Amino acid sequence: MTIESMAQFEELRSQAGARHEGSEGEILVCCGTGCLANGSREVAESLSKELRDRNINGRIIKTTGCHGFCERGPLVAFVPAGVLYTKVKPATVPEVVEKTIEKGEIIQRLLYKNPANGEKIEQYSEIPFYKNQKRIAMRNIGEIDPTDILDAVARGAYEGLAKALFEMSPEEVLEQVEISGLRGRGGAGFNTGRKWRSCRDAEGDRRFVICNGDEGDPGAFKDRSIMEGDPHSVIEGMILGAYAVGAHEGYIYVRDEYPLAITNLQTAIEQAHAFGMLGENIFGSGFDFEIRISRGGGAFVCGESSALMQSIAGKVGEPRAKYIHSTDKGLFDLPTVLNNVETWATVGAIISNGGEWFAAMGTEKSKGTKAFSLVGKVKNTGLIELEMGTTLRHIIFDIGGGVLKDRPFKAVQTGGPSGGCLPESMLDEPVDYEGLTAAGSMMGSGGMIVMDDRTCMVDVARYFLNFLVEESCGKCTPCREGLKQLLHLFDDLVEGRGTEETIENIERTCAAMKLGSLCELGKSAPNPVLSTLRYFRSEYEAHVRDKACPAGICRELTAYRILPESCDGCHACTRVCPVGCISGDRKELHVIDHEACISCGACFDVCPQQAIVTFPKIELALKEVQ
Amino acid sequence: MEHHAVDLSQTDEILSKYPAEEASLIQVLQDVQRSYRFLPADALVRVADTLQVPLAKVFSVSTFYKAFALEPQGETIIKICMGTACHIRGAGQLVEELQRKLGVGPDETTDDMKFTVKTVNCVGACAMAPVMIVGDSYHGAAKPARIEKYLGLGEAENDN
Ligand SMILES: Cc1cc2nc3c(=O)[nH]c(=O)nc-3n(C[C@H](O)[C@H](O)[C@H](O)COP(=O)(O)O)c2cc1C
Ligand code: SF4
Ligand code: SF4
Ligand code: FES
């Protein structure tokens, strides 16, 4: 059907909603990348087969995008009952069909167990991981089948678009975004309305809108989940943005590592064409807009705005100086709006509900909600969306369930390679753009990596330098050479050659890079180093002064031994040691041969008695001298 | 660099699907890479001629982006995620174990051309860190002791 009026759109929506009328409910199987890796496709297939074999009709099996609770996948949810099963295996499916679907019984074993009190939780919405969230950008993820546009429409997709095209002028759309106070979700937090207005006011008749789906920050995967799980939210946002600024061409730049996102976006674009939401004369309004997908080539720097535009133009992704604004001269030197995936995904909801609605949430300067990926040494890893201003403690301990194996919390890393590591003393800080920057970190792409006492902060800083040495585009000297020098200096630290001067040289190099680098990659590269120096200086000093790694991670400085009083001779360590340097008979004390040990820590991680401990390697040398 | 003779009809077919302009370069190279599993030198020359882009530019793009390889790759690509979440959950041990098992490190290919090992920076499955991808199969919470299984089966399995 062609849609040329609000009434026709409403009609489409009610038809979409009525498709499953009379059904006895839906079974949602999460098929995000995480759950797929755990075999959720097989779970969905055996569910269909089992229902067919038993002649059960009236149930709809829906494969959805990521529910966020990746750690517990494959996830299966029952609607309208609201029950969630975790870690469902294909082999369990017959039991699920027989007990839960045929008899309405709940299988206790498959319910989520609250690690805080050991209680089983039946209802999806009561699980602390979900209960504390507020989802706007991710409003439909996990609820809809991302490959079925009508399913999205039934849940409100394109409602904002219909409202805009039938009832609002481009100026009014822009005003609502300005009122909302929305800021970019890709890192720097630039005001979205202001960016759009600059582009709209720029000279020229051809302009572009671009979606940044490069998501290069390691540890962040919110954009992947949005593109995979609700591609329509991104497309709707882009059409609205294009309408507001007067663009007729759009690009979505997607990382090469995200094949499923590309497939689902392509399907969504085709379907949107078929229903007249893309192409010529959208909804009969006279407005035309097309979206093309551009696959990235696997370069972190291409997430940077000017490098990304070079890359779409088929060139090497080298950034240019900041004083040229891409809203004036962007893609092909024409006025361009570039926004992050999550930013675009939020726009449709803002137009539907009004800018004031969005601005009522969050903190004074950071409005609305923000998606985070909570990963690392935390119990509940996954994807969450929360109101801005939530404290780190609430995120890590209430939603994340605390540190894995109840080990002591050491730091949380935010903002990827441009961000920093925040210590325990910062946990009560509200999370917003200004707060994180003042603390020496960054919002970045919303990756939050929790670290425990078995994480060495010198090693973490070195890790990011190593990452950036590979990823620096090499165009400017401070970044290209500065990173290499910093990495050398850190190699000295982790291998026991560091002196006081090493730390001074590190600080001086960082200062030079901040001043002299061309783009934000180089300017912000010192952040992981400076934030760890600021909060964990004593750890650096231990590497220098005592030639010791307090976390027991830096291999050149660390040795392992077995506590005789704790070892029960279970053999677990001998099985995992890659060099076979642990000896001992079953039920007898085991010992590590220090000469052969490569300090990999594999045995430490598996010992059920916690009988394996680290100590500074230098003590071995001292003993020999005596 | 060794010279590898290839059939260029695949390259021509790919080129015919895109407008002959510089903006098509990366998309074309991606298809060429997919089709030959690397970028053969002769194909690069053909791409440069057809798109009217200097060969030096084609070469610079081919070396800038990690998705491209100038040498033939193994039948199966093994990717180990070295993103932050995977790093702190022991991704390094996976690389070492692969080195021991296959005798090759990152960006190297086994002599029998079966496997190429690559390290990547985050594949967006961080919640299941550390992650190892064999061909198209993702393995979450990957353990060094299970590497043979991942390589042999090459299919997703539940690790929990
Ligand atoms: C080195 C570097 C990498 C970046 N990577 C990304 C990225 O992967 N995704 C993203 O949305 N923004 C990234 N950015 C920020 C972009 O340059 C740009 O500010 C952003 O896409 C604008 O969208 P927003 O205003 O909606 O956040 C990166 C910036 C730098 C300097
Ligand atoms: S794993 Fe621990 S308890 Fe078991 S033999 Fe090794 S050191 Fe002893
Ligand atoms: S650290 Fe590694 S090499 Fe050393 S004893 Fe433990 S498992 Fe063996
Ligand atoms: S850090 Fe390995 S998947 Fe993200």
Side-chain angles (χ1 to χ4, degrees), chain A residues 34 37 89 218 224 255-256 294-298 311 313 315-317 376-377 381 459 463 467 471 555 578 600, chain B residues 22-23 26-27 30-31 34 60 64-67 82-84 87-89 93 96 100 121-122 124 127-128 138 158:
Chain A
K89 307 207 165 109
R224 191 208 73 192
R255 282 189 83 183
D256 196 38
S294 184
R295 274 176 291 157
S311 181
K315 299 191 169 91
V316 159
K377 307 264 184 86
T381 56
D459 173 72
Y463 163 82
F467 175 94
E471 299 293 351
R555 292 196 187 179
C600 70
Chain B
E22 187 179 2
I26 295 177
Q27 310 301 314
Q30 255 154 347
D31 289 357
R34 201 145 302 170
S60 114
F64 182 85
Y65 293 103
K66 281 195 291 275
M82 292 303 231
T84 326
H87 173 76
I88 67 165
R89 284 202 185 181
Q93 292 184 15
E96 287 176 17
R100 277 188 289 265
N121 291 321
C122 192
M128 309 163 30
Y138 286 66
N158 200 325

Side-chain angles (χ1 to χ4, degrees), chain A residues 560 562 570-582 590 592 598-608 612, chain B residues 93-94 96-97 100-101 143-146:
Chain A
Y560 287 79
I562 297 176
C570 74
H571 251 14
C573 55
T574 46
R575 276 198 291 271
V576 297
C577 178
V579 294
C581 71
I582 309 180
H590 283 49
I592 296 175
I598 57 168
S599 298
C600 70
C603 52
F604 183 100
D605 295 334
V606 298
C607 175
I612 300 179
Chain B
Q93 292 184 15
L94 295 171
E96 287 176 17
E97 186 65 14
R100 277 188 289 265
K101 286 265 145 65
K143 294 186 180 65
R146 295 200 186 172

Side-chain angles (χ1 to χ4, degrees), chain A residues 226-258:
Chain A
I226 295 173
M227 291 186 283
E228 283 178 9
D230 185 11
H232 293 289
S233 64
V234 179
I235 294 169
E236 182 181 11
M238 288 179 74
I239 309 170
L240 286 165
Y243 180 67
V245 304
H248 303 292
E249 292 160 82
Y251 283 90
I252 307 180
Y253 188 86
V254 192
R255 282 189 83 183
D256 196 38
E257 288 86 347
Y258 289 179

